[in-house]
Amino acid sequence: MAHHKEETGGENKTLHHTRRKFFKISSALTAVALIPSEIIKAAEDKVDEKIAEKFEQQTLTLEINGVQKTLSVEPRVTLLDMLREQLKLTGSKKGCDHGQCGACTVHVNGQRVLSCLSLALMQNGKKITTIEGLATGDELHPMQAAFIKHDGFQCGYCTPGQIMSAVACVREGHADNEEEIRAYMSGNICRCGAYPNIVEAILEAKEKGGNQI
Amino acid sequence: MINFNYVKPSTQKAVTDTLGKDATAQIIAGGTNLVDLMKRGVAAPEKLVDITGLPLKNIEQQKGFVRIGTLALNSEVAESELILKKFPLLAKALNAGASPQLRNMATVGGNMMQRTRCSYFYDTAMPCNKRKAGSGCGALKGYNRMHAIFGTTENCIAVHPSDMCIALVALDATVVISGKTDRRIPFADFHRLPGANPEKDNTLQKGEMITAIEIPDNDALAKSTVYLKVRDRASYAFALISVAAAMDVKGGNISAVRLAMGGVAHKPWRLTTAENFLKGKAPSTENFKQAAAIAMKDSKGHGHNNFKLKLAPNTILQALTTVSTQV
């Protein structure tokens, strides 16, 4: 927790300018200091945005797929955006970005969660597993192999989320039968409608180590 | 999303002090509703106070009641052996809500604090008294299929979306609140009806936070329970109508009964008059029908949701029939 800005109840407005206040100050300074063409260039380069972004970043340390990482992010950055934009782990997909589709599902401390509704800073000190962390070298995870064998996808966009959710579903003990699997996989939407094959894949993988991470 | 300051206090007092001083500060825990609202521009707090570092996660038996910390996850409560044994109704309601991923994130306190899913509340181009006081209600004459049939005003016809809260109001839970002073209030008094101030969902005051829920021991309410949720798909959808029911029968008559309904009002809707009618009577279809009719007194449709006027009593009847056959 050492990387977090701790607050003990004291007023800290002088330390933490909000972005809104920062813009007011920096815009006024910019207007005074720059001639018009430079203002236009600064606007094009989003100078204010870039300065503010650096100004407001906070650091966090977390373990991603077994590797310790220390990163700097703005408070508003979600775990999904940090994974995709900063770490280039683009396996976790941005489907709806509102917690309705499940394409962004990852494991945090072994539990499946939606990375699009998780703030990156709140993951400080936690262990994250993404779809990139499932296979061992060239050897597919049993759940990945079962999805291929049973044709558990068409376009594949929802598949990383489906597989992360499926591994957790088996580990939670909610994969006893088709009905239970359907209920406990309902947070992952597949527009191609590969549901019957996904259920088959999970039923097979649960007997073959599909719960491992 | 508009940026904000992020702080993670290590004490409860630091949290309530910050909330008391800074009107633009808001608590974050699971974030499943708040982060979504911030992305959509419905909420724009200048400061988020992360309370996940506080020791408020325990689910434990106390003398005469079970105490659930505000940070207990929905999935942890639903799978707790203590809850499954003593309050299966609560576990059933929790499992009927959201998706496994969301239940792994959402906390008990956050579930209570979640905002309505009224589409006019979410659409910042539309009027909504709850989002912007005085701007009007888009739902009243709009598409209001999901909306309330009890306790509405011309200012707001939104419903509270929680499943968990329907079980908690039926179980006579108490909300433990911490602020300048600590206080306890009945669960039924936590959420409020819209009245002239639909922007207020509940009775929590500035500088206060929920710290726990307490549910009084009552073995009679663990014998036969059902959470019947009628919705547009089999899973992962908000309730059109939901009914939480618990019943015990002794000597051929109903000795204990609890009923509450979701998807019908701005707050979890306890059916006290219907409960009082049923107590001491035989668990018969005729009595259940009468209880359902009593429960529907003062209900009012708004057009697209008129079907709820028929669906609600039918759901009550079905829920009562189910619990009475399980006793």
Side-chain angles (χ1 to χ4, degrees):
Chain A
M1 296 295 151
H3 294 284
H4 276 289
K5 288 184 182 177
E6 293 274 339
E7 187 179 61
T8 51
E11 190 49 66
N12 67 348
K13 272 189 177 157
T14 49
L15 291 174
H16 303 215
H17 278 296
T18 65
R19 164 164 295 225
R20 283 159 256 208
K21 284 168 192 153
F22 179 85
F23 273 145
K24 274 184 207 159
I25 297 162
S26 70
S27 300
L29 290 174
T30 309
V32 171
L34 302 181
I35 57 168
S37 64
E38 283 173 313
I39 294 175
I40 293 163
K41 186 169 183 324
E44 279 173 354
D45 293 348
K46 295 183 181 170
V47 171
D48 272 2
E49 186 76 26
K50 283 174 185 164
I51 295 171
E53 197 177 304
K54 285 286 173 212
F55 189 70
E56 291 173 349
Q57 281 185 352
Q58 297 184 33
T59 57
L60 76 158
T61 300
L62 72 179
E63 190 185 306
I64 296 172
N65 297 332
V67 181
Q68 201 80 10
K69 301 266 184 191
T70 299
L71 300 153
S72 292
V73 295
E74 286 181 287
R76 63 175 161 179
V77 170
T78 60
L79 174 59
L80 176 64
D81 284 344
M82 186 182 76
L83 290 170
R84 291 180 57 86
E85 306 295 331
Q86 279 206 40
L87 296 165
K88 308 299 177 193
L89 292 171
T90 53
S92 306
K93 295 291 183 266
K94 186 178 277 198
C96 68
D97 207 27
H98 289 284
Q100 296 178 358
C101 76
C104 68
T105 302
V106 300
H107 296 184
V108 174
N109 288 348
Q111 302 287 320
R112 53 174 156 164
V113 302
L114 300 176
S115 61
C116 78
L117 293 182
S118 303
L119 294 178
L121 278 178
M122 292 177 72
Q123 314 310 312
N124 193 34
K126 294 183 178 169
K127 290 184 180 180
I128 317 292
T129 307
T130 69
I131 188 76
E132 290 91 342
L134 279 192
T136 312
D138 286 341
E139 192 187 331
L140 290 177
H141 183 277
M143 191 63 78
Q144 291 174 309
F147 265 65
I148 291 172
K149 182 181 167 190
H150 290 276
D151 220 1
F153 49 84
Q154 280 185 40
C155 82
Y157 197 82
C158 73
T159 312
Q162 295 280 0
I163 290 178
M164 295 312 288
S165 206
V167 171
C169 181
V170 175
R171 198 169 51 243
E172 291 161 7
H174 293 308
D176 281 351
N177 52 56
E178 183 182 334
E179 191 187 6
E180 192 180 28
I181 290 171
R182 282 181 178 274
Y184 279 85
M185 288 296 291
S186 62
N188 293 81
I189 312 294
C190 170
R191 291 192 94 176
C192 302
Y195 299 112
N197 299 2
I198 291 170
V199 172
E200 277 177 27
I202 295 171
L203 280 169
E204 179 179 304
K206 75 165 178 163
E207 310 295 342
K208 296 182 175 175
N211 60 341
Q212 296 163 7
I213 45 168
Chain B
M1 197 191 310
I2 298 173
N3 217 8
F4 49 87
N5 281 325
Y6 169 81
V7 291
K8 188 174 183 180
S10 49
T11 68
Q12 199 171 297
K13 188 176 178 306
V15 173
T16 50
D17 281 355
T18 304
L19 294 173
K21 267 187 228 153
D22 191 343
T24 66
Q26 237 177 300
I27 284 178
I28 187 163
T32 57
N33 188 211
L34 182 56
V35 173
D36 187 24
L37 291 170
M38 289 169 71
K39 284 184 179 184
R40 293 175 193 267
V42 177
E46 288 196 20
K47 184 184 282 182
L48 284 190
V49 185
D50 178 356
I51 62 166
T52 57
L54 304 180
L56 299 170
K57 218 174 163 44
N58 282 355
I59 304 168
E60 56 200 3
Q61 178 70 56
Q62 305 266 348
K63 202 177 173 196
F65 61 89
V66 169
R67 185 184 171 93
I68 305 172
T70 191
L71 287 174
L73 299 176
N74 284 192
S75 54
E76 290 170 342
V77 179
E79 311 232 329
S80 153
E81 282 187 23
L82 182 63
I83 299 299
L84 284 166
K85 179 170 165 269
K86 297 197 69 170
F87 307 110
L89 181 61
L90 176 58
K92 287 173 189 174
L94 279 163
N95 278 328
S99 70
Q101 290 98 313
L102 289 165
R103 295 197 293 271
N104 277 343
M105 303 167 74
T107 61
V108 166
N111 190 314
M112 292 167 64
M113 295 299 290
Q114 68 178 309
R115 311 300 307 272
T116 183
R117 296 313 195 280
C118 171
S119 52
Y120 298 91
F121 174 72
Y122 268 78
D123 186 345
T124 52
M126 296 299 291
C128 171
N129 288 319
K130 186 177 277 300
R131 176 167 31 78
K132 193 179 174 197
S135 63
C137 173
L140 199 59
K141 297 248 157 52
Y143 186 60
N144 50 34
R145 183 170 172 271
M146 298 296 289
H147 290 73
I149 53 172
F150 289 108
T152 57
T153 65
E154 71 278 11
N155 300 307
C156 184
I157 59 171
V159 298
H160 194 269
S162 171
D163 293 300
M164 179 194 81
C165 293
I166 310 306
L168 286 174
V169 78
L171 293 168
D172 267 345
T174 297
V175 186
V176 186
I177 294 167
S178 179
K180 276 210 171 85
T181 54
D182 290 356
R183 63 189 180 107
R184 282 177 158 71
I185 59 167
F187 198 90
D189 295 341
F190 181 79
H191 295 97
R192 58 186 293 283
L193 288 174
N197 300 95
E199 71 277 9
K200 288 182 185 162
D201 293 348
N202 55 58
T203 55
L204 207 61
Q205 302 294 310
K206 192 182 166 199
E208 286 188 328
M209 66 178 285
I210 304 164
T211 56
I213 293 297
E214 292 172 354
I215 315 175
D217 290 347
N218 191 336
D219 292 343
L221 301 180
K223 280 195 166 173
S224 179
T225 62
V226 68
Y227 187 75
L228 182 57
K229 185 175 178 181
V230 183
R231 45 185 158 174
D232 286 330
R233 53 187 183 204
S235 180
Y236 199 21
F238 289 100
L240 293 166
I241 298 284
S242 69
V243 172
M247 188 184 281
D248 194 12
V249 175
K250 281 199 177 103
N253 289 320
I254 297 167
S255 56
V257 61
R258 294 287 172 84
L259 275 176
M261 200 157 34
V264 294
H266 196 261
K267 61 185 286 185
W269 201 246
R270 177 86 178 261
L271 308 178
T272 316
T273 46
E275 288 174 14
N276 290 339
F277 168 81
L278 287 170
K279 268 176 214 160
K281 291 199 174 65
S284 67
T285 303
E286 191 43 46
N287 282 334
F288 294 161
K289 277 184 181 167
Q290 278 196 54
I294 290 168
M296 293 308 292
K297 190 173 174 283
D298 298 328
S299 59
K300 184 186 162 198
H302 299 277
H304 296 102
N305 70 347
N306 286 352
F307 72 96
K308 288 191 180 185
L309 301 175
K310 204 167 182 181
L311 181 61
N314 284 348
T315 311
I316 294 169
L317 175 62
Q318 179 64 48
L320 285 170
T321 306
T322 306
V323 281
S324 68
T325 52
Q326 288 171 357
V327 179

